[in-house]
Amino acid sequence: VASIDTYCPNAIDAIMWYENCQPCYSNTNFFARLNVEDSGSWYWTADKVEEPKAFNQKLGSLLKNLTSQATTEPNSKFMFVTGNITSTDQKTIYGLVQCTRDTTLADCSQCLISTISQIPSTCENAHGCEIATGSWRVMFDTQLFYNSTTTPSLTSIKFKPKTIPTAQFTTPI
């Protein structure tokens, strides 16, 4: 895994997204400040969903439900939640929403909802996609990409490795 200083050798601030962490540094204090400037989206295009309208309706329902769970007490302890829903074509859609813990619940909710609304135009009917900023992320796929547990804890949050071609990276969102 390459380090930030490899990709950003002269930067005074930088952020990188990995499966299990999001290292960043800056010469200014970034804690408790929403970071919407640093963003990226990744989608895997091996195949497209067959019924995009129905898929996006189910996906929207799942992600809005997860957003509510991640930003409502007492579930909001980690500001992170995963879940799934069965699509109209009987495929399971897995979803994840997460905010950094220095984000307020209200900001987390607003930002996740805004990001979810960008999925149809950003993810181009892909069966899996991730949209991330410095303060939150939304991810979904028709393949299970997280360790399923009933209650997320810092030790149980593990992701299956995936390869994301850099050619499909787009910025800004």
Side-chain angles (χ1 to χ4, degrees), residues 144-158:
L144 183 62
F145 59 90
Y146 55 82
N147 226 9
S148 58
T149 59
T150 55
T151 318
S153 69
L154 293 178
T155 57
S156 69
I157 300 170
K158 298 177 183 171

Side-chain angles (χ1 to χ4, degrees), residues 84-100:
N84 64 72
I85 194 169
T86 303
S87 183
T88 54
D89 61 1
Q90 300 306 307
K91 286 187 180 180
T92 301
I93 306 170
Y94 301 92
L96 172 150
V97 297
Q98 178 180 21
C99 292
T100 56

Side-chain angles (χ1 to χ4, degrees), residues 44-52 54-59 62 83-95 125-128 140-144 146:
W44 15 115
T45 59
D47 59 333
K48 302 282 187 176
V49 295
E50 293 179 15
E51 299 175 36
F55 182 88
N56 286 334
Q57 286 176 338
K58 287 285 190 174
L59 176 62
L62 169 65
N84 64 72
I85 194 169
T86 303
S87 183
T88 54
D89 61 1
Q90 300 306 307
K91 286 187 180 180
T92 301
I93 306 170
Y94 301 92
N125 299 325
H127 68 87
F140 69 90
D141 202 332
T142 54
Q143 296 181 28
L144 183 62
Y146 55 82

